[in-house]
Amino acid sequence: MATFRFRFSPWYLAAGLPFGVTPATARVDVDGGQLTVRFGPWKVRTAVANVAGSEVTGPYRAWKTLGPAHLSLADRGLTCATNGQRGLCIRFHQPVAGIEPFGRIRHPGVTVTVEDVEGLAAALKAAGPS
């Protein structure tokens, strides 16, 4: 299993605390062909085979990313940000659930601000279909 921790900046840590987003509750796991993103109470889980690609993104505007997981009204993408500098946008073949508990809203991608952005991209590529 490969686990990737989020990189927290002080402002993002303070803004995430009321929503249960802490270093202990935020991580990305790539294990057994599964991708799992945990961000406080939010969770995205899908097969690595569902990953269509990824790209490094950033910087981000604080007012769009501070605090809880954010839903993009433009494309329904999910952002799980703990810093405003950089992250990895992971795109899916089939949209996945994540922002709400019933799975009605499906996300074509999720952005995560992990410490090792390039390492996560490489782990997803290595775990994907041959």
Side-chain angles (χ1 to χ4, degrees):
M1 171 166 55
T3 296
F4 298 87
R5 298 287 175 189
F6 279 73
R7 183 170 71 84
F8 281 82
S9 71
W11 284 102
Y12 280 78
L13 179 58
L17 283 174
F19 301 98
V21 178
T22 70
T25 65
R27 71 177 188 273
V28 178
D29 295 320
V30 180
D31 182 33
Q34 291 289 310
L35 166 68
T36 305
V37 176
R38 296 178 194 277
F39 194 70
W42 294 275
K43 182 177 176 181
V44 170
R45 184 175 171 97
T46 190
V48 173
N50 190 33
V51 174
S54 65
E55 63 183 309
V56 177
T57 60
Y60 313 111
R61 295 174 195 247
W63 62 272
K64 287 187 173 184
T65 56
L66 272 168
H70 287 264
L71 174 68
S72 167
L73 297 179
D75 68 357
R76 294 182 332 278
L78 185 63
T79 299
C80 301
T82 55
N83 71 78
Q85 285 74 45
R86 66 195 301 251
L88 189 69
C89 177
I90 305 166
R91 296 179 317 281
F92 304 117
H93 294 291
Q94 296 296 318
V96 299
I99 193 74
E100 46 85 23
F102 304 108
R104 291 186 187 122
I105 299 173
R106 310 293 277 185
H107 311 289
V110 61
T111 298
V112 294
T113 57
V114 295
E115 293 173 347
D116 185 3
V117 171
E118 288 82 6
L120 175 55
L124 290 170
K125 190 171 185 178
S130 302

